[in-house]
């Protein structure tokens, strides 16, 4: 069936849930330290330390989310995480003491860090083939739009009620997560008949179809093709961190541009993701391109944008030229993001065997988390040497990711590489037996 005709039971509810929860996320992520300082009354320093420690704890426990998905299914775990996040934001304004804030922050961080893993697993449970790519693109567009709307909403709340409005925002956030959880209850997972596919690098091994597949993370660690896919994604994920971490520093310290350029870059990126993300992903999907190739194309566009930053940092034009050039680079960067993200996400979901999909995707998600953790120190160290150096490193990383994706495609399952795997050729009909001559 064509990808555009595939429907997902409860798809609209899932998308609306993602949009609503993203509004909630947008209400506190841009103002994290200020947000929690006002809702708890604790100092910025204390809030920062607590959020760092609890965030690292959440990262360390992400593998357990994969185990929970494999044991109970993604949908029940998603509902639990929404419930935990709801409770956390209900309690934040009441957590005035350090122990209370640390306890609530820890539980909420565990849910926040694990959510991406579980949501990806849910996409794998409810969609097949090209529908996975379409859902990936739609979710990303709604998440960008929701976060932008949430940031504007909290700005309006603060304009009306001042810092006291942060408490109302926390409760509104809890309501958003609760509504999202209720909507997800309408989603209906589907199951494939058949056994778990073995990793492609073990294709030449003796037939083990009668045995139970190896359980646990040992199976993931033996799957060299999937580990290669995860490593390639780490290289690309460094590029995803560039917009939020490197762009502002580069503009301020190397280009000596105004802070408004950072705001313009973020606004343009968000508007493009929300406005044309689904259209671009649909065009890529309808082209029939292999997911590995389209993800590699996205990485190449990243590399082109990073090369543009090197040129921009060398020429250093005037204010008007700087604005035009920077926004053009952001457009190339964003198109790369919109081409890579749906294909890369669907590729990881489809390459993971169903019975251990949670563990596989928890491993894959670590590539994003590790890149996010390393990016600030890596970028600032390189920037201190030369403002163009971090962009050169990112360009090389993106080119390496593109090459790795193309090389890996022959080792990955066909259902992962292709949104609609090509049908196997029908076996040739056996020649009709020749009748023996009849004796006269």
């Amino acid at each position: 069936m064509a990808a555009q005709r595939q429907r997902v039971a409860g798809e609209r509810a899932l998308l609306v849930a993602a949009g609503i929860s993203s509004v909630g996320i947008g209400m506190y992520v841009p103002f994290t330290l200020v947000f929690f300082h006002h809702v708890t009354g604790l100092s910025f320093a204390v809030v920062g330390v607590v959020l760092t420690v609890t965030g690292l704890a959440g990262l360390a426990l992400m593998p357990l989310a994969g185990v929970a998905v494999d044991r109970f299914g993604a949908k029940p775990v998603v509902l639990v995480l929404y419930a935990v996040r709801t409770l956390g934001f209900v309690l934040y304004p009441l957590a005035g003491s350090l122990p209370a804030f640390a306890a609530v922050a820890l539980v909420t961080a565990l849910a926040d860090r694990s959510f991406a893993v579980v949501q990806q697993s849910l996409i794998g449970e409810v969609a097949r083939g090209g529908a996975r790519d379409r859902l990936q693109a739609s979710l990303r567009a709604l998440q960008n739009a929701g976060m932008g709307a949430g940031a504007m909403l909290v700005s309006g709340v603060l304009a009306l009620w001042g810092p006291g409005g942060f408490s109302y925002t926390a409760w509104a956030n809890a309501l958003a997560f609760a509504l999202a959880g209720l909507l997800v209850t309408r989603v209906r997972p589907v199951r494939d008949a058949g056994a778990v596919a073995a990793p492609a690098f073990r294709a030449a091994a003796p037939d083990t179809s009668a045995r139970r597949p190896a359980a646990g993370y040992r199976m993931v660690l033996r799957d060299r093709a999937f580990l290669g896919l995860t490593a390639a994604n780490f290289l690309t994920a460094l590029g995803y961190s560039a917009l939020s971490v490197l762009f502002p520093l580069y503009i301020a310290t190397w280009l000596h541009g105004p802070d408004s350029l950072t705001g313009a870059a973020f606004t343009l990126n968000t508007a493009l993701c929300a406005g044309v993300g689904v259209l671009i992903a649909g065009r890529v999907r309808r082209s029939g391109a292999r997911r590995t190739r389209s993800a590699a194309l996205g990485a190449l566009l990243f590399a082109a944008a990073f090369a543009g930053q090197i040129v921009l940092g060398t020429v250093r034009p005037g204010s008007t030229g700087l604005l035009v050039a920077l926004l053009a680079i952001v457009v190339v960067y964003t198109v790369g993001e919109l081409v890579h993200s749906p294909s890369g996400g669907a590729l990881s979901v489809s390459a993971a065997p169903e019975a251990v999909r949670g563990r596989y995707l928890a491993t894959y998600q670590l590539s994003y988390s590790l890149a996010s953790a390393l990016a600030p120190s890596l970028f600032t160290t390189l920037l201190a040497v030369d403002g163009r150096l971090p962009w050169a490193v990112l360009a090389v990383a993106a080119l390496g990711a593109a090459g790795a994706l193309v090389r890996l495609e022959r080792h990955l399952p066909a259902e992962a590489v292709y949104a609609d795997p090509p049908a196997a050729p029908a076996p040739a009909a056996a020649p009709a037996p020749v009748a023996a001559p009849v004796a006269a």
Side-chain angles (χ1 to χ4, degrees):
M1 185 181 294
Q4 62 265 32
R5 294 182 181 178
Q6 293 174 350
R7 306 309 303 167
V8 173
E11 176 178 338
R12 184 174 299 177
L14 178 62
L15 294 176
V16 174
I20 291 174
S21 62
S22 296
V23 171
I25 294 170
M27 286 193 288
Y28 78 92
V29 164
F31 313 95
T32 301
L33 288 176
V34 177
F35 180 95
F36 289 115
H37 164 71
H38 283 290
V39 298
T40 64
L42 299 171
S43 69
F44 288 112
V46 170
V47 170
V49 170
V50 170
L51 292 179
T52 298
V53 172
T54 55
L56 291 174
L59 181 62
L61 291 178
M62 272 176 52
L64 295 181
V67 175
V69 167
D70 293 337
R71 178 167 297 182
F72 304 108
K75 180 180 173 180
V77 181
V78 164
L79 295 177
V80 169
L81 295 184
Y82 270 133
V84 170
R85 296 165 101 186
T86 299
L87 181 62
F89 279 92
V90 167
L91 294 177
Y92 268 129
L94 309 177
S97 67
L98 176 58
F101 173 57
V104 176
L106 176 61
V107 175
T108 308
L110 299 181
D112 285 342
R113 291 285 183 174
S114 300
F115 190 80
V117 175
V118 182
Q119 186 178 57
Q120 288 291 91
S121 299
L122 183 61
I123 291 174
E125 287 187 5
V126 303
R128 295 290 182 268
R132 288 177 177 170
D133 304 68
R134 178 167 49 77
L135 269 182
Q136 293 276 0
S138 299
L139 285 170
R140 187 165 188 84
L142 283 169
Q143 286 165 351
N144 278 278
M147 289 184 67
M152 289 190 292
L153 181 61
V154 74
S155 298
V157 169
L158 295 178
L160 288 174
W161 288 290
F166 277 117
S167 294
Y168 300 117
T169 302
W171 287 324
N173 214 359
L175 179 61
F177 287 133
L179 289 174
L182 288 175
L183 286 167
V184 170
T185 61
R186 301 177 60 185
V187 177
R188 296 291 177 265
V190 295
R191 292 290 181 183
D192 285 336
V196 178
F201 265 80
R202 288 181 280 159
D207 182 20
T208 57
S209 57
R211 305 176 193 170
R212 184 173 179 173
Y217 282 97
R218 289 177 299 170
M219 182 174 178
V220 185
L221 296 176
R222 285 201 294 265
D223 190 344
R224 288 186 289 161
F226 192 84
L227 293 180
L229 186 63
T230 302
N233 190 68
F234 169 76
L235 297 176
T236 312
L238 287 172
Y240 276 93
S241 300
L243 185 63
S244 58
V245 179
L246 182 55
F247 266 63
L249 293 174
Y250 179 69
I251 291 171
T253 63
W254 187 259
L255 298 179
H256 303 293
D259 292 336
S260 59
L261 285 179
T262 299
F266 273 90
T267 301
L268 179 59
N269 175 264
T270 301
L272 288 175
C273 287
V276 300
V278 175
L279 295 177
I280 291 177
R283 182 67 178 269
V284 171
R285 188 173 64 251
R286 288 190 295 272
S287 72
R290 302 172 190 179
R291 287 170 174 151
T292 44
R293 301 293 175 93
S294 52
L297 175 60
L300 290 176
L301 290 170
F302 269 12
F306 301 149
Q309 291 284 25
I310 295 173
V311 173
L312 183 61
T314 302
V315 176
R316 297 189 185 185
S319 57
T320 302
L322 178 62
L323 174 62
V324 172
L326 184 65
L327 293 183
I329 289 170
V330 171
V331 169
V332 175
Y333 173 90
T334 305
V335 172
E337 179 182 346
L338 297 177
V339 171
H340 175 273
S341 179
S343 298
L347 182 62
S348 65
V349 172
S350 301
E354 183 174 348
V356 285
R357 183 181 288 137
R359 290 172 173 88
Y360 266 69
L361 294 182
T363 303
Y364 187 82
Q365 188 64 32
L366 284 174
S367 62
Y368 281 112
S369 300
L370 184 59
S372 298
L374 292 178
S377 58
L378 175 64
F379 293 159
T380 52
T381 300
L382 295 174
L383 195 64
V385 178
D386 188 293
R388 295 160 294 186
L389 185 56
W391 298 113
V393 171
L394 286 174
V396 172
L399 291 173
L405 285 165
V406 174
R407 288 194 299 272
L408 282 168
E409 66 183 25
R410 66 188 179 93
H411 301 295
L412 293 168
E415 61 270 19
V417 174
Y418 298 91
D420 296 298
V434 178
V438 178

